[in-house]
């Protein structure tokens, strides 16, 4: 039971990190109007975050050791809380972007440190459960951060919504003031239950088909990021736009169910090799619903896309951690974060630029191609022998 409590505490940290990450996304239209910049620059608070998260985790992975990970989480959260508090009271565009840049530079240390800690809890007997809790925490934070932003979008001084991020980060730091213990050795047979796969003792090759999970996740996240970033520009905040956006972003919360329910879903599908292409199909169908337009179609489509995306993240990260050795754990976490947010760069910059140039349907067409190719990559990864083993241990 203590292992589950530790997993929940780290899930709270993941939620706070994602509040800090995603808070500016729904504000792109407000930033564009108030700061008088192009849409691509209005999306820069997200784009820059994705750029840094693509390269930073790999560059900084040597600093994210098991001995340092939990201390890093608390210290970085407190620094971020201060930065958000200061940003909430600034009205200068230059100051706003500088403070956002400072926040972003800390995220490549924070997020991989949380993943590394969640996958190596000493009191836990289920890595799959711990990583599912982490993924669920990211969904809670992603939804909360976006809704905090939308709630403040109608204020004259909309930056004050950043105080919600400050509160989330402080709460997480307080919860982790007595950090759980981590282990740097593989669990023995007595500590392993039916949801934990044996950890590899030797380093594994990065050229195995299982590594296709990385580009697959990147392409799927590029699609989801593009849709969620462009929607405020396409819909706007007036005439019920804010309510529609809140409904759509709340749909992201569907990922909580698919994250925690990933083992049951995998069992129902007859294994990860079958569940992965089903999730990819649901993702594509959700995109079709989004293209269809209308508040209901948008909400249902985003729910389907988010549910499928989070299922893929929850299962692929377990697949990767079970394939690679524990010594490679920090690097796997860093590359996982880098791959996902590389897709975020494409979604919040190139595809936003495409929207300004050719419009909504052009963005949706490119997203359709990305979602299909990404789904194929993840399906191949899940059929690798390690994937079949993971499918059995997740059931």
């Amino acid at each position: 039971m203590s292992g589950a409590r530790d997993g929940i505490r780290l899930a709270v940290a993941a939620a706070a990190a994602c509040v800090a990450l995603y808070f500016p996304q729904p504000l792109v239209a407000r930033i564009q109007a108030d700061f008088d910049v192009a849409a691509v620059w209005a999306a820069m608070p997200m784009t820059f975050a994705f750029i840094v998260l693509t390269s930073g985790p790999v560059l900084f992975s040597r600093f994210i050791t098991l001995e340092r990970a939990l201390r890093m989480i608390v210290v970085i959260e407190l620094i971020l809380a201060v930065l958000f508090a200061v940003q909430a009271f600034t009205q200068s565009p230059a100051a706003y972007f500088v403070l956002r840049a400072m926040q972003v530079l800390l995220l490549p240390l924070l997020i991989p440190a949380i993943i590394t800690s969640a996958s190596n809890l000493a009191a836990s007997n289920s890595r799959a459960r711990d990583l599912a809790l982490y993924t669920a925490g990211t969904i809670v934070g992603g939804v909360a951060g976006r809704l905090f932003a939308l709630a403040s979008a109608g204020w004259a001084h909309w930056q004050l919504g950043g105080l919600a991020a400050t509160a989330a980060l402080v709460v997480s730091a307080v919860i982790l003031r007595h950090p759980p213990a981590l282990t740097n050795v593989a669990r023995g047979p007595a500590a392993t239950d039916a949801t934990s796969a044996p950890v590899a003792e030797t380093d594994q090759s990065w050229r195995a088909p299982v590594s296709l999970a990385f580009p697959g996740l990147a392409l799927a996240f590029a699609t989801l990021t593009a849709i969620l970033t462009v929607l405020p520009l396409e819909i706007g905040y007036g005439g019920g736009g804010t309510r529609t956006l809140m409904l759509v972003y709340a749909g992201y919360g569907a990922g909580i169910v698919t994250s925690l329910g990933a083992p049951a879903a995998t069992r129902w599908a007859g294994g990860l090799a079958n569940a992965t292409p089903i999730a990819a199909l649901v993702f594509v169908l959700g995109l079709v619903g989004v293209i269809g337009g209308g508040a209901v179609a948008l909400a249902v489509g985003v729910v389907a896309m988010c549910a499928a995306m989070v299922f893929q993240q929850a299962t692929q990260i377990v697949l990767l951690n079970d394939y690679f050795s524990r010594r490679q754990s920090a690097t796997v976490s860093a590359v996982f974060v880098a791959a996902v947010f590389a897709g975020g760069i494409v979604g919040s910059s190139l595809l936003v630029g495409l929207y300004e140039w050719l419009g909504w349907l052009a963005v949706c067409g490119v997203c359709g191609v990305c979602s299909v190719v990404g789904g194929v990559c993840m399906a191949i990864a899940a059929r690798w022998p390690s994937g079949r083993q993971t499918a059995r241990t997740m059931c």
Side-chain angles (χ1 to χ4, degrees):
M1 186 61 184
S2 60
R5 285 197 298 270
D6 290 342
I8 292 171
R9 292 163 69 192
L10 286 168
V12 173
C18 285
V19 169
L21 173 59
Y22 290 110
F23 178 79
Q25 190 176 48
L27 295 171
V28 58
R30 190 66 195 264
I31 293 171
Q32 181 186 30
D34 283 16
F35 294 164
D36 192 23
V37 295
V40 171
W41 286 104
M44 192 54 64
M46 290 303 304
T47 302
F48 185 51
F50 293 145
I51 291 172
V52 174
L53 283 166
T54 298
S55 56
V58 177
L59 294 175
F60 300 151
S61 62
R62 68 183 62 186
F63 301 108
I64 307 172
T65 63
L66 290 172
E67 293 77 16
R68 299 187 187 125
L70 286 166
R71 291 195 301 273
M72 288 174 61
I73 293 171
V74 173
V75 171
I76 293 171
E77 285 182 334
L78 291 174
I79 295 173
L80 281 171
V82 172
L83 292 174
F84 269 99
V86 174
Q87 188 184 49
F89 293 97
T90 183
Q91 295 184 342
S92 164
Y96 181 90
F97 284 114
V98 167
L99 287 165
R100 178 59 180 171
M102 294 170 67
Q103 296 162 8
V104 163
L105 291 173
L106 293 171
L107 293 176
L109 290 169
L110 177 60
I111 295 176
I114 296 171
I115 298 175
T116 300
S117 300
S119 60
N120 292 282
L121 289 170
S124 176
N125 59 2
S126 177
R127 172 181 273 181
R129 179 200 63 207
D130 299 335
L131 290 174
L133 286 169
Y134 159 80
T135 306
T138 65
I139 303 306
V140 172
V143 172
R146 292 177 174 103
L147 293 183
F148 291 155
L150 283 172
S152 66
W155 302 349
H157 188 48
W158 50 269
Q159 294 95 318
L160 283 174
L163 292 177
T166 296
L169 290 158
V170 170
V171 168
S172 175
V174 170
I175 289 174
L176 287 174
R177 67 188 184 280
H178 300 302
L182 303 183
T183 180
N184 58 1
V185 297
R187 300 181 180 98
T192 302
D193 68 3
T195 58
S196 297
V199 179
E201 298 292 343
T202 59
D203 292 353
Q204 303 295 309
S205 170
W206 292 88
R207 296 184 179 181
V210 71
S211 294
L212 284 173
F214 293 121
L217 289 166
L219 290 168
F221 195 69
T223 299
L224 189 59
T225 298
I227 296 299
L228 295 180
T229 304
V230 169
L231 275 177
L233 296 169
E234 178 71 9
I235 296 175
Y237 303 123
T242 298
R243 289 193 299 273
T244 299
L245 287 170
M246 292 186 78
L247 180 64
V248 167
Y249 286 124
Y252 198 79
I256 299 171
V257 177
T258 53
S259 172
L260 298 177
T266 301
R267 182 171 60 251
W268 173 83
L272 190 60
N274 296 330
T276 300
I278 292 173
L281 178 60
V282 171
F283 189 87
V284 173
L285 292 175
L287 179 60
V288 172
V290 169
I291 297 171
V296 175
L298 278 173
V300 172
V302 170
V303 165
M305 292 179 70
C306 293
M309 177 74 218
V310 174
F311 175 84
Q312 302 285 42
Q313 285 183 301
T315 54
Q316 298 284 314
I317 193 173
V318 175
L319 170 67
L320 291 164
N321 269 286
D322 285 343
Y323 173 75
F324 292 102
S325 71
R326 190 175 294 276
R327 284 191 298 273
Q328 295 171 289
S329 178
T331 303
V332 169
S333 298
V335 176
F336 175 84
V337 172
V340 170
F341 291 118
I345 295 173
V346 174
S348 68
S349 60
L350 296 181
L351 293 181
V352 171
L354 181 65
Y355 172 77
E356 284 196 302
W357 181 35
L358 293 177
W360 170 252
L361 291 180
V363 172
C364 291
V366 173
C367 286
V369 174
C370 290
S371 62
V372 171
V373 175
V376 170
C377 288
M378 287 183 281
I380 294 173
R383 289 186 178 277
W384 185 242
S386 176
R388 290 194 291 272
Q389 180 184 33
T390 300
R392 290 194 299 270
T393 59
M394 287 186 69
C395 294

